[in-house]
């Protein structure tokens, strides 16, 4: 079955489709789209049911509608099931001489309170409670002396059986706290949990409470409470005490009982009523409030936290006047001008409007600009309007007349909010409510930019103008007229960013214009002598960034000549060079600087370009003219340059020491910092060392080391160069590096004997060392015939003996001169002979011990008992042939064979298999044949099998020691074992 809401939605959609669509509107520039929504903001639909009598009161909550009628009946309807309404005769459950003054329905739509006032002095006020699931109302017993005029519902209550703590306001200004609960029995008696008075606003006078709202602050224990009377709005804030997760609101008023009456807003009024409404956001948090009074609606933003700094729980409070004019004369009857029509009887609050109900019409007023935006007049056929209410949960709006019920639908009420905020110059809020509509945003931006321009805030104005679609020439003229060059540059830059790359003409025009503006500013500052000022540096930096923009660079080849002419006309050589760099005219600029002998400028430009090819091109000229600065520039490039490509530049600059020292400095930097291994570089550096700095050459060779594979230079080339440049120490080192030991020692002897000794100690071959030392000895003895020096050689090198050097002495030297070293040599030989004799005696003793041990094993016997068992299978040993080891372990022959096979190498395992096969295949005659050893073939084969199988005990031999680190479970069986354990 279609619900009432579905019916209303369908009708609304039909109404929307029937609305004509206006022509697309144009904003301030190129935006073309429909700006206005022609769907009515407020629309009314009559409900398709008719009550049995005139309607007097209405309440709605959570899609549950309750109407009180003049015949003493209640009309209850679940709006989701419109065909299942019911009527309850409530009049028979109340005392006589009373009349229904109001009905109140909680936000859940479960608990209904009916307030009755006394008709005369004989009657007493009464409060009746009716639960949604029952049709028999019950009186709230303790309410007999109170005429309830308002109920403050607990919006946090989620219980169907109880109202939770609520506040009741009376006609005498009493504020009561209670909780009503439907009993668990079938009668639902409607008993109150407690009943207490928490505050008295009237203080003895009849001051009816017309509105109550209380809410918790941000899930804390603090609550704030709004109370209204016909002339006052009271505010309370305090901490509630929670029992069983339910608040006790009485404690909130403790601090107000002993203080003077403060914290209220008073508005004079002659009316006996007022209305209080809250608007809740999407999170059901109170956001705004409105208080209907005689002069107007007092409206404000709720901010309970502001009470920490003031006595008010709201901000931006203002009085909204009631509308007096109609908005459309063709659809509206003339307004009444009597006093009754000036003040609404009721109202509801939406986010941006207050919907006011008069006796014969409904009006909607904007809360932002107080303008009347909607008016709906009711015909006499429907009767007078009784009330207008809002469902606090579903947020639907219902208007009730004597005879009918209407629903108001609000569609996009925020549609014009952006325009209102824009008119109020609250542009940020205006943009928030544009819903990203580019046409609306453009209108707001234009208005904001115009306002800022009129105030002289040109920089802020141009930032916003740049976001609009205003005509280009219009904005430019604005800022040209007031001579705002910086603002104009900003605007041009923004428009340049917005242009498509295909707009070549517009891009070129803006680039030329902005270049002229930058050059004019820079030229003016130079003429004023402010070339070193921060302002000049900033403009120069901005200009350089501008020239580097992709769009500027892409169009530069079209306007390059024009830009060059502009810079030349302003005499701006600095930026002319900058532009040449941007256009990649590097060669011409550098050549020009070199031609002008501005070598440092050329090097500075090279360093900023990061173009290695230009270094290779201009290095010869720069090295010739400014070697130190050129090398500094080359070093600054680090590994980005290939040093070998710079060698031609270096080779042409070897005309003096100054140039060579700079070349060496660069080569050393490359070798030491980047571990360069290019042989050309190392050969060149070695050549320069050999020519100019021999100590540095020796240090270089020492760093390269003594390994032929590790050096980075050509050793043969280096040896030739060192010979040519007469560097004997280097020749010795290089000859040794090549393994030319005799030549190295001979050259070292020409330099220094200790150097020769160092070289002689280098070879690993002792025979080569001996020959080298003999060469040194021959040189020393032949030259000096110095016996002491010869003896020191014998001490330094134990490889040579006295008999080796005797031939080097002259014939005039007698044997007496060598008595001491000869005796010492003989003594050493004697000692060696004695050592050899001792070793031979030890070997003879060891052999004798071995022979004795072998003989003892031959005579050794072991007794085998009948009870002995095999160490492998634990069966009786004597059942089968067996092996008995000296360690006392014993095995059946087949058991030992099984145990030993996995431990054998593949070769021995194959040999064992072959021996077993021969033993089983050969015939008895063949096996009995005597071999060369004198034993039958059978015995020979068995001895060989015994050598393999019984060479050692499986438990005590080397195999057991080798298995100490062998895992119990092999890798092949691991997965299988793991599955078995699982």
């Amino acid at each position: 079955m279609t619900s009432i809401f579905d019916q209303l939605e369908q009708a609304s959609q039909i109404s929307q489709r029937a609305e004509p669509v206006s022509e697309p509107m144009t904003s301030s520039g190129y935006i073309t789209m429909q700006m206005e929504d022609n769907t009515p903001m407020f629309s009314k639909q009559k409900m398709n049911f008719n009550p049995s009598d005139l309607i007097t009161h209405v309440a709605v909550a959570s899609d549950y509608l309750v109407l009180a009628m003049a015949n003493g009946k209640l009309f209850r309807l679940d709006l989701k099931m419109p065909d299942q309404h019911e009527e309850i005769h409530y009049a028979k459950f109340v005392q006589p001489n009373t009349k229904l003054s109001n009905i109140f329905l909680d936000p859940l739509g479960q608990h209904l309170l009916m307030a009755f006032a006394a008709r005369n002095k004989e009657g007493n006020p009464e409060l009746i409670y009716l639960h949604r699931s029952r049709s028999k109302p019950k009186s709230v017993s303790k309410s007999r002396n109170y005429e309830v005029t308002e109920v403050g519902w607990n919006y946090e209550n989620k219980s169907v059986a109880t109202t939770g703590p609520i506040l009741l306001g009376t006609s005498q200004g009493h504020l009561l706290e209670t909780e009503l609960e439907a009993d668990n029995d079938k009668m639902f008696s409607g008993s109150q949990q407690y009943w207490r008075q928490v505050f008295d606003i009237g203080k003895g006078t009849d001051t009816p409470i017309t509105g109550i709202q209380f809410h918790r602050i941000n899930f804390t224990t603090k609550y704030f409470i709004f109370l209204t009377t016909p002339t006052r709005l009271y505010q309370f804030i305090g901490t509630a005490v929670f029992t069983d997760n339910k608040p006790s609101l009485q404690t909130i008023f403790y601090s107000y009982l002993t203080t003077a009456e403060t914290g209220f807003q008073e508005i004079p009024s002659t009316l006996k009523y007022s209305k209080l409404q809250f608007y809740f956001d999407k999170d059901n948090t109170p956001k705004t409030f409105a208080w209907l009074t005689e002069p107007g609606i007092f409206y404000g933003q709720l901010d309970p936290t502001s009470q920490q700094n003031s006595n008010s729980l709201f901000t931006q409070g203002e009085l909204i006047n009631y509308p007096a004019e109609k908005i459309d004369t063709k659809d509206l009857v003339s307004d009444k001008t009597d006093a009754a029509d000036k003040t609404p009887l009721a109202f509801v609050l939406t986010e941006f409007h207050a919907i006011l109900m008069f006796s014969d019409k409904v009006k909607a007023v904007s809360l932002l600009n107080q303008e009347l935006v909607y008016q709906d007049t009711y015909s006499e056929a429907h009767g007078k309007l009784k009330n207008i209410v809002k469902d606090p949960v579903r947020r639907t709006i219902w208007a009730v007349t004597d005879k009918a019920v209407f629903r108001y639908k609000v569609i996009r009420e925020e549609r014009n909010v952006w325009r209102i905020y824009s008119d109020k110059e609250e542009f940020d809020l205006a943009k928030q409510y544009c819903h990203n509509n580019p046409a609306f945003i453009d209108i707001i931006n234009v208005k904001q930019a115009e306002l800022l321009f009129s105030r002289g805030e040109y920089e802020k104005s141009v930032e916003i103008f740049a976001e609009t679609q205003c005509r280009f020439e219009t904005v430019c003229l604005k800022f040209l007229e007031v001579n705002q060059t910086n603002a104009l540059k900003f605007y041009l830059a923004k428009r340049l960013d917005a242009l498509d790359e295909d707009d070549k003409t517009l891009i070129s025009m803006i680039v030329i214009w902005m270049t002229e503006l930058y050059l004019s500013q820079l030229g003016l500052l130079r003429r004023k002598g402010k070339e070193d000022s921060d302002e000049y540096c900033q403009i120069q930096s901005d200009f350089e960034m501008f020239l580097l923009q992709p769009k500027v660079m892409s169009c530069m080849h079209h306007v390059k000549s024009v830009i060059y002419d502009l810079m030349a006309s302003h005499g701006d050589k600095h930026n002319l060079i900058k532009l040449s760099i941007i256009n990649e005219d590097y060669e011409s600029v550098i050549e020009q600087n070199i031609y002008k002998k501005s070598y440092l400028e050329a090097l500075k430009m090279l360093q900023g370009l990061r173009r290695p090819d230009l270094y290779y091109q201009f290095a010869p000229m720069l090295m010739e003219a400014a070697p130190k600065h050129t090398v500094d520039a080359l070093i600054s490039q680090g590994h980005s340059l290939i040093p070998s490509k710079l060698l031609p530049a270096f080779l042409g600059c070897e005309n003096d020491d100054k140039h060579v020292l700079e070349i060496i400095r660069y080569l050393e930097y490359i070798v030491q910092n980047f571990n360069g291994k290019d042989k050309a570089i190392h050969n060149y550096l070695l050549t320069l060392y050999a020519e100019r700095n021999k100590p540095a050459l020796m240090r270089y060779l020492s760093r390269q080391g003594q390994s032929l594979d590790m050096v980075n230079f050509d050793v043969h080339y280096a040896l030739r160069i060192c010979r040519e440049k007469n560097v004997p120490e280097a020749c010795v080192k290089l000859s040794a590096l090549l393994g030319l030991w005799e030549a190295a020692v001979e050259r070292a002897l020409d330099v220094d004997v200790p150097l020769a000794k160092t070289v002689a100690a280098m070879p690993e071959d002792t025979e080569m060392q001996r020959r080298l030392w003999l060469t040194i000895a021959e040189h020393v003895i032949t030259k000096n015939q110095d016996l002491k020096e010869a003896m020191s050689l014998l001490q330094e090198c134990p490889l040579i003996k006295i008999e080796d050097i005797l031939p080097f002495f002259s014939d005039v030297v007698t044997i007496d001169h060598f008595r001491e070293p000869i005796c010492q040599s003989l003594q050493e030989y004697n000692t060696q002979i004695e050592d050899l004799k001792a070793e031979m005696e030890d070997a003879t003793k060891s052999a004798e011990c071995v022979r004795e041990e072998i003989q003892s094993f031959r005579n050794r016997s072991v007794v085998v008992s009948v009870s002995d068992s095999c160490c492998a299978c634990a069966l009786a040993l004597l059942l089968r042939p067996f092996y008995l080891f000296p360690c006392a372990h014993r095995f059946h022959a087949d058991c030992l064979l099984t145990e030993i096979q996995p431990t054998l190498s593949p070769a021995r395992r194959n040999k064992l298999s072959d021996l077993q096969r021969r033993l089983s295949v050969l015939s008895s005659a063949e096996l009995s044949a005597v071999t060369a050893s004198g034993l039958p073939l059978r015995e020979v084969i068995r001895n060989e099998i015994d050598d393999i199988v019984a060479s050692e005990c499986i438990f005590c031999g080397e195999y057991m020691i080798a298995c100490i680190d062998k895992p119990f479970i092999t890798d092949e069986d691991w997965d299988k074992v793991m599955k078995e354990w699982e």
Side-chain angles (χ1 to χ4, degrees):
M1 179 179 294
T2 304
S3 69
I4 292 177
F5 290 111
D6 294 333
Q7 298 170 16
L8 291 177
E9 290 292 340
Q10 294 168 4
S12 175
Q13 291 172 4
I14 295 172
S15 174
Q16 292 179 32
R17 289 195 294 270
E19 290 289 339
V21 179
S22 63
E23 292 296 325
M25 299 183 67
T26 303
S27 181
S28 55
Y30 305 109
I31 300 174
T32 56
M33 62 178 294
Q34 181 175 323
M35 293 176 54
E36 301 293 344
D37 187 352
N38 295 320
T39 304
M41 186 181 300
F42 298 95
S43 59
K44 179 182 68 174
Q45 292 288 336
K46 183 178 180 297
M47 301 296 289
N48 57 357
F49 59 85
N50 296 312
S52 59
D53 203 347
L54 296 179
I55 301 172
T56 59
H57 300 85
V58 62
V60 62
S62 297
D63 290 342
Y64 193 67
L65 178 70
V66 179
L67 302 175
M69 297 177 289
N71 58 2
K73 292 183 179 181
L74 286 178
F75 179 91
R76 300 196 303 186
L77 173 67
D78 187 344
L79 296 171
K80 297 177 182 178
M81 297 179 290
D83 294 337
Q84 299 181 15
H85 69 273
E86 62 176 335
E87 291 189 2
I88 300 173
H89 194 189
Y90 69 84
K92 62 182 179 179
F93 297 101
V94 299
Q95 298 179 6
N97 300 321
T98 59
K99 62 178 180 179
L100 181 64
S101 58
N102 210 340
I103 62 174
F104 308 96
L105 186 62
D106 79 308
L108 297 177
Q110 299 290 333
H111 310 281
L112 179 70
L113 289 177
M114 305 173 65
F116 292 85
R119 292 181 181 272
N120 49 45
K121 295 182 179 181
E122 296 179 359
N124 292 317
E126 190 173 4
L127 183 66
I128 298 298
Y129 170 77
L130 178 61
H131 192 269
R132 177 173 177 171
S133 61
R134 292 296 179 265
S135 58
K136 182 178 180 182
K138 291 293 182 179
S139 174
V140 180
S141 59
K142 294 186 179 181
S143 66
R144 295 295 174 84
N145 297 324
Y146 300 98
E147 181 183 344
V148 176
T149 56
E150 185 62 29
V151 177
W153 294 109
N154 187 344
Y155 280 79
E156 293 184 352
N157 178 51
K158 304 299 180 185
S159 174
V160 176
T162 178
T163 62
I166 60 174
L167 294 177
L168 305 178
T170 70
S171 60
Q172 294 182 334
H174 299 132
L175 186 63
L176 309 171
E177 181 183 1
T178 186
E179 179 180 1
L180 301 178
E181 183 180 31
D183 290 347
N184 294 327
D185 59 9
K186 297 181 179 180
M187 295 303 295
F188 270 75
S189 65
S191 62
Q192 62 269 13
Q193 294 285 358
Y194 56 87
W195 183 278
R196 52 176 171 257
Q197 178 176 319
V198 295
F199 202 72
D200 184 4
I201 291 179
K203 296 183 179 179
T205 62
D206 291 340
T207 306
I209 295 175
T210 59
I212 304 175
Q213 287 279 350
F214 72 91
H215 299 276
R216 197 199 301 217
I217 301 176
N218 296 335
F219 303 102
T220 63
T221 58
K222 275 194 172 184
Y223 280 78
F224 72 92
I225 301 174
F226 273 40
L227 297 181
T228 59
T229 66
T231 58
R232 288 184 178 183
L233 169 65
Y234 290 86
Q235 309 167 55
F236 303 93
I237 187 169
T239 302
V241 176
F242 278 77
T243 304
D244 296 333
N245 205 26
K246 293 181 180 181
S248 174
L249 305 176
Q250 185 177 15
T251 56
I252 298 174
F253 298 92
Y254 286 166
S255 60
Y256 297 94
L257 296 176
T258 57
T259 58
E261 199 172 88
T262 57
F264 62 84
Q265 181 79 29
E266 185 167 11
I267 297 179
S269 174
T270 60
L271 298 177
K272 294 183 180 180
Y273 66 92
S274 67
K275 301 289 184 180
L276 177 65
Q277 293 286 332
F278 274 23
Y279 173 76
F280 300 84
D281 60 15
K282 294 180 179 179
D283 298 327
N284 289 324
T285 302
K287 182 179 178 182
T288 59
F289 79 97
W291 177 35
L292 186 148
T293 64
E294 183 179 8
I297 294 177
F298 186 73
Y299 172 76
Q301 305 287 328
L302 287 169
D303 185 9
T305 57
S306 66
Q307 215 268 342
Q308 298 174 0
N309 303 319
S310 65
N311 294 324
S312 179
L313 294 168
F314 58 85
T315 58
Q316 303 177 6
E318 61 177 330
L319 189 66
I320 298 175
N321 297 319
Y322 298 125
E325 299 293 333
K326 298 176 290 184
I327 61 173
D328 192 350
T329 56
K330 68 178 182 179
D331 294 328
L332 304 175
V333 298
S334 61
D335 289 344
K336 297 180 181 179
T337 58
D338 56 351
D341 189 50
K342 293 181 180 179
T343 304
L345 301 175
F347 82 112
V348 294
L349 184 65
T350 65
E351 185 174 6
F352 298 107
H353 296 88
I355 303 177
L356 311 176
M357 188 206 77
F358 298 85
S359 60
D360 60 347
K361 65 177 65 68
V362 171
K363 297 181 179 181
V365 181
S366 172
L367 298 171
L368 300 178
N369 59 4
Q370 303 186 18
E371 290 185 359
L372 180 65
V373 298
Y374 174 76
Q375 182 167 313
D376 181 24
T377 301
Y378 283 74
S379 65
E380 295 181 357
H382 294 141
K384 291 185 178 181
L385 282 163
K386 289 296 184 181
N387 202 353
I388 187 169
V389 293
K390 182 179 180 181
D391 188 330
V393 176
R394 289 281 300 198
R395 300 172 185 258
T396 53
I397 299 172
W398 304 86
V400 178
T401 65
D402 291 336
K403 302 176 181 179
V405 178
F406 298 87
R407 182 199 177 198
Y408 280 94
K409 187 173 184 180
V410 183
I411 302 174
R412 291 193 62 246
E413 63 168 328
E414 74 281 1
R415 68 182 67 176
N416 294 323
V417 170
W418 67 272
R419 195 184 300 277
I420 297 171
Y421 279 127
S422 178
D423 294 339
K424 296 171 70 174
E425 298 180 0
E426 297 180 19
F427 301 108
D428 291 337
L429 286 173
K431 292 175 184 178
Q432 289 181 17
Y433 289 99
C434 280
H435 300 290
N436 297 323
N437 187 314
F440 296 162
I441 293 175
D442 192 64
I443 293 173
I444 296 169
N445 284 334
V446 171
K447 190 167 186 177
Q448 185 178 7
E450 294 282 2
L451 178 65
L452 292 171
F453 186 88
S454 65
R455 293 176 179 174
E457 299 180 27
Y458 300 113
E459 293 184 0
K460 294 181 180 179
S461 174
V462 76
E463 289 180 7
I464 301 175
F465 264 126
E467 302 295 331
T468 68
Q469 298 297 327
C470 282
R471 292 184 178 275
F472 175 77
E473 60 274 15
T474 303
V475 179
C476 292
L477 286 173
K478 270 182 172 292
F479 291 97
L480 281 174
E481 290 173 356
V482 293
N483 195 26
Q484 290 296 319
T485 305
N486 287 331
L488 181 58
K489 285 193 306 182
F490 180 86
Y491 179 73
L492 291 173
K494 285 293 186 180
R495 293 308 299 264
L496 179 63
D497 292 340
L499 287 175
D500 195 13
E501 292 187 359
D502 295 334
D503 298 330
K504 303 294 185 182
T505 304
L506 290 176
I507 292 175
S508 300
M509 182 193 70
I510 293 177
V511 168
I512 294 172
W513 193 354
M514 290 190 69
T515 302
E516 172 63 28
L517 293 175
Y518 276 115
L519 293 174
S520 298
Q521 286 184 305
L522 293 172
L524 179 62
L525 291 173
R526 282 197 300 270
R527 290 191 293 273
K528 292 181 178 180
K530 296 182 178 180
E531 196 167 354
D532 296 329
S533 64
D534 293 339
E535 182 183 2
Y536 186 92
C537 294
Q538 183 61 48
I539 295 175
Q540 177 64 36
S541 176
D542 294 343
F543 186 32
E544 293 174 6
M545 294 298 295
F546 165 73
L547 293 175
L548 291 173
Q549 291 183 19
K551 286 185 179 178
V552 177
M553 295 180 68
S554 65
C555 82
M556 189 57 69
H557 64 281
H558 297 296
V559 298
K560 181 169 60 175
S561 59
V562 179
I563 300 297
Y564 281 170
D565 292 341
L566 282 175
M567 291 182 175
S569 65
H570 284 275
D572 197 336
K573 297 181 180 178
H574 175 76
N575 284 311
L576 185 59
I577 294 177
K578 287 283 185 183
L579 185 59
S580 299
I581 295 172
I582 292 173
N583 291 327
E584 298 183 357
D585 297 335
Y586 307 120
E587 295 182 22
S588 60
V589 177
I590 296 173
E591 286 176 354
Q592 185 178 3
N593 283 326
I594 293 176
Y595 177 76
K596 294 178 180 179
K597 297 184 179 181
S598 299
Y599 304 113
L600 297 183
E601 290 294 328
L603 286 170
K604 186 177 180 181
M605 181 172 295
L606 273 173
Q607 288 178 277
L609 293 178
R610 296 183 180 179
R611 285 276 306 275
D613 57 314
L614 295 181
Y615 278 92
Y616 309 141
Q617 179 180 349
F618 293 106
M621 293 177 283
L622 293 172
M623 277 296 298
E624 181 69 29
K628 182 180 184 306
H629 295 94
T630 302
V631 169
D632 290 340
L634 295 176
I635 290 175
S636 68
Q637 298 303 305
H639 60 80
S640 62
L641 297 177
I642 301 175
S644 60
K645 291 187 176 182
L646 295 170
L647 290 181
F650 295 152
L651 291 172
C653 300
E654 297 178 1
N655 49 0
D656 58 16
D657 291 341
K658 180 177 68 173
H659 288 79
V660 172
L661 290 176
E662 293 301 328
I663 295 172
I664 290 175
R665 181 162 69 93
Y666 177 73
L667 296 177
E668 286 179 339
Y669 168 77
I670 293 298
V671 170
Q672 295 173 9
N673 292 278
F674 297 102
N675 194 24
K677 299 184 181 298
D678 192 335
K679 281 194 174 184
I681 296 296
H682 283 271
N683 289 341
Y684 186 44
L685 178 60
L686 186 143
T687 303
L688 295 178
Y689 278 148
E691 292 177 350
R692 308 281 180 169
N693 195 341
K694 291 178 176 57
L697 173 61
M698 298 308 298
R699 291 193 297 271
Y700 169 78
L701 293 176
S702 297
R703 288 195 299 271
Q704 289 292 306
Q706 281 300 122
S707 175
L708 193 61
D709 297 332
M710 297 299 293
V711 297
N712 298 306
F713 56 87
D714 188 335
V715 183
H716 296 281
Y717 168 79
L719 183 58
R720 184 175 69 253
I721 291 295
C722 290
R723 285 174 181 172
E724 293 176 359
K725 304 300 180 182
N726 192 22
V727 190
E729 296 90 343
C731 291
V732 171
K733 203 168 190 65
L734 293 170
S735 297
L737 187 61
L738 289 170
L740 305 175
W741 302 110
E742 290 88 349
V745 169
E746 289 175 1
R747 288 184 176 277
L749 289 173
D750 294 337
V751 178
D752 190 16
V753 173
L755 178 60
K757 293 178 180 180
T758 303
V759 175
M762 289 181 180
E764 297 180 356
D765 186 2
T766 57
E767 184 60 30
M768 176 58 70
Q769 286 190 22
R770 184 173 177 277
R771 289 203 303 269
L772 296 178
W773 277 100
L774 287 174
T775 302
I776 296 171
E778 181 181 4
H779 173 81
V780 171
I781 295 172
T782 304
K783 181 179 180 181
N784 299 326
Q785 293 293 315
D786 188 346
L787 184 60
K788 290 184 178 180
E789 191 170 358
M791 293 303 101
S792 67
L793 288 174
L794 294 177
Q795 293 177 358
E796 290 181 32
C797 181
L799 298 176
I800 57 176
K801 304 297 180 182
I802 184 65
E803 60 269 24
D804 296 327
I805 64 173
L806 284 176
F808 301 145
F809 287 93
S810 64
D811 296 337
V812 298
V813 179
T814 62
I815 194 67
D816 293 339
H817 293 92
F818 304 101
R819 179 183 301 170
E820 184 177 346
I822 290 173
C823 292
Q824 184 178 355
S825 177
L826 292 174
Q827 183 64 36
E828 289 179 358
Y829 286 138
N830 187 46
T831 302
Q832 293 177 3
I833 291 171
E834 292 297 329
D835 292 341
L836 289 174
K837 286 181 179 180
E839 290 179 2
M840 292 174 64
E841 289 178 0
D842 292 340
T844 301
K845 291 179 181 179
S846 298
E848 186 64 29
C849 290
V850 170
R851 282 194 295 271
E852 290 177 358
E853 188 172 352
I854 292 173
Q855 188 63 35
S856 66
F857 270 108
R858 288 177 178 175
N859 300 327
R860 184 177 177 183
S861 62
V862 178
V863 177
V864 177
S865 173
V866 177
S867 61
D868 288 344
S869 60
C870 175
C871 293
C873 66
L875 297 177
L877 187 64
L878 298 177
L879 291 177
R880 298 195 298 275
F882 61 88
Y883 289 99
L884 180 63
F885 292 93
C887 61
H889 288 121
R890 44 204 176 272
F891 304 91
H892 290 129
D894 55 344
C895 292
L896 182 60
L897 182 63
T898 304
E899 292 289 337
I900 202 69
Q901 274 189 339
T903 69
L904 297 176
S905 64
R908 289 176 65 84
R909 190 180 302 120
N910 293 335
K911 184 177 180 180
L912 178 62
S913 299
D914 182 61
L915 292 173
Q916 289 176 329
R917 182 182 59 78
R918 289 177 61 191
L919 192 63
S920 61
V921 170
L922 294 178
S923 62
S924 299
E926 291 174 328
L927 293 175
S928 300
V930 178
T931 62
S933 62
L935 296 174
L937 181 59
R938 180 183 290 104
E939 293 298 326
V940 173
I941 294 175
R942 285 180 176 174
N943 288 338
E944 291 183 5
I945 293 176
D946 290 344
D947 289 340
I948 296 174
V949 175
S951 61
E952 63 177 4
C953 177
I954 193 69
F955 287 170
C956 303
E958 294 182 359
Y959 170 74
M960 186 57 65
I961 298 174
C963 291
I964 193 170
D965 58 349
K966 183 178 179 181
F968 292 109
I969 303 174
T970 63
D971 294 340
E972 295 80 6
D973 298 335
W974 177 260
D975 294 336
K976 179 180 178 181
V977 173
M978 290 301 295
K979 289 181 179 179
E980 291 176 354
W981 276 93
E982 290 177 358

